[in-house]
Amino acid sequence: MHEDLITIGELSARTRLSPKALRLYGDRGLLAPARVDPDTGVRRYGLAQVERARRIALLRAVGMPLARIAAVLDADGGASPGLLDAYWREQESSHRARRQAVGHARAVLAGRTSTMYRIAERDIPEQKVVCVRRHVTAAELAGFLAEAGELLLAHLGSTGARLSGPLFSVFHGHVSEESDGPVEVCAPTPDAVEPTALISVRLHPAHREAYAELTGEQRDFAAVAAVHDAVGGWVAEQGYERCGGNREVYYPNFGTAGPREHSSDVTVPFRRLGQPPHVAVPIPLPRQSPGRP
């Protein structure tokens, strides 16, 4: 009845993929077995899946993540080559951004002032923000930024509060594969809003900051990390003193900007020597009448 089905061992021999990899692809929905014996758990595959396994291996070899591979293989008609082309354009864009990062690192190692990024100053007014804070590593950062942004916007929307500027994050500590921040995502608002168990409300004082503009192709973690270093280095070279964590400002086109389109900023708040520090302070809750929940 199942003579056209082959075992995972046979599929492994035909594709040169290990059984471990084939099980992983099956668990991720990329290469689900045609049949799994309910008693023994033995997996069997259709002969047509040999070609699908081959294509998975080919796309993995060019570095494509498993989630992207699923979209490419399951695309309708002749859309798969176009999706592969789009992925590769993203990789080439990322490599261009990393070349800037390498240029900056080379200047630092040589003891020279880096000229890879244009850095300027600006004044930032006092802002009331709602914010979410969490310890995250580099691998967890993108997911946290998306999750926190959605949570904050939903909270503002549920209370009728307005967003008065772009979302931004404050890095209270270094973020890397080994270091976990913490990071605070903030949404500015001019309206009255109360905190929740997860969301705080703070007042960020007016300050001056150094900043560098990033384009759509500069989303790669390594590329952005180099910009953070460059802006911080510039602040030190000017004789200024940091007065807060590094920030990233995300404009509305952050997720859709083209390679050369301005979509975010990296900033470092600073003060001139002798100026008093500024500190973000919690906003107290309004006094409640006795017995009110």
Side-chain angles (χ1 to χ4, degrees):
M1 182 176 178
H2 303 292
E3 60 183 9
D4 290 331
L5 299 182
I6 59 176
T7 66
I8 193 171
E10 292 172 301
L11 182 59
S12 175
R14 294 187 186 209
T15 63
R16 297 187 298 121
L17 291 167
S18 69
K20 179 181 179 180
L22 293 171
R23 291 190 189 95
L24 173 64
Y25 299 159
D27 294 342
R28 297 290 181 88
L30 276 172
L31 194 66
R35 181 176 182 271
V36 178
D37 189 291
D39 298 320
T40 65
V42 171
R43 304 181 183 208
R44 293 188 179 275
Y45 298 82
L47 294 177
Q49 291 181 289
V50 174
E51 177 61 21
R52 185 175 175 90
R54 172 196 175 196
R55 296 183 180 198
I56 294 171
L58 186 62
L59 294 174
R60 284 298 287 156
V62 301
M64 184 177 287
L66 294 180
R68 293 288 289 270
I69 290 176
V72 170
L73 296 185
D74 296 335
D76 294 333
S80 293
L83 293 177
L84 174 59
D85 291 341
Y87 167 76
W88 192 245
R89 283 193 297 272
E90 292 174 13
Q91 299 310 299
E92 291 179 325
S93 179
S94 176
H95 286 309
R96 284 195 297 271
R98 286 198 175 201
R99 273 198 293 271
Q100 282 190 304
V102 171
H104 171 72
R106 184 183 297 111
V108 171
L109 292 174
R112 303 192 311 267
T113 297
S114 173
T115 58
M116 299 304 298
Y117 308 103
R118 180 183 177 275
I119 300 170
E121 303 177 28
R122 64 189 176 196
D123 291 310
I124 301 299
E126 179 181 84
Q127 289 179 304
K128 179 169 65 177
V129 301
V130 290
C131 48
V132 177
R133 180 169 172 155
R134 186 183 302 172
H135 287 268
V136 292
T137 62
E140 300 163 333
L141 179 61
F144 170 60
L145 295 179
E147 176 189 337
E150 291 178 2
L151 179 64
L152 293 173
L153 293 178
H155 183 60
L156 291 180
S158 68
T159 60
R162 295 165 293 165
L163 186 67
S164 57
L167 272 65
F168 63 90
S169 57
V170 181
F171 292 77
H172 295 286
H174 187 65
V175 173
S176 67
E177 294 299 337
E178 299 80 27
S179 181
D180 63 353
V183 179
E184 190 171 51
V185 179
C186 304
T189 180
D191 300 318
V193 59
E194 293 190 1
T196 70
L198 296 177
I199 298 174
S200 302
V201 182
R202 300 185 186 281
L203 190 65
H204 282 251
H207 64 274
R208 192 160 179 82
E209 66 183 19
Y211 70 98
E213 297 181 350
L214 277 67
T215 61
E217 71 180 7
Q218 293 173 298
R219 297 192 190 101
D220 179 85
F221 181 85
V224 178
V227 181
H228 276 271
D229 182 82
V231 179
W234 184 90
V235 168
E237 289 171 3
Q238 305 307 308
Y240 300 151
E241 184 178 1
R242 291 171 180 260
C243 60
N246 286 24
R247 299 184 178 194
E248 291 178 7
V249 182
Y250 312 108
Y251 296 104
N253 66 337
F254 177 70
T256 60
R260 306 297 186 182
E261 186 180 357
H262 176 212
S263 62
S264 62
D265 298 333
V266 167
T267 83
V268 175
F270 69 83
R271 62 188 177 96
R272 292 177 174 83
L273 295 180
Q275 288 183 322
H278 71 262
V279 180
V281 295
I283 295 178
L285 289 172
R287 188 184 301 275
Q288 295 181 344
S289 59
R292 185 171 177 176

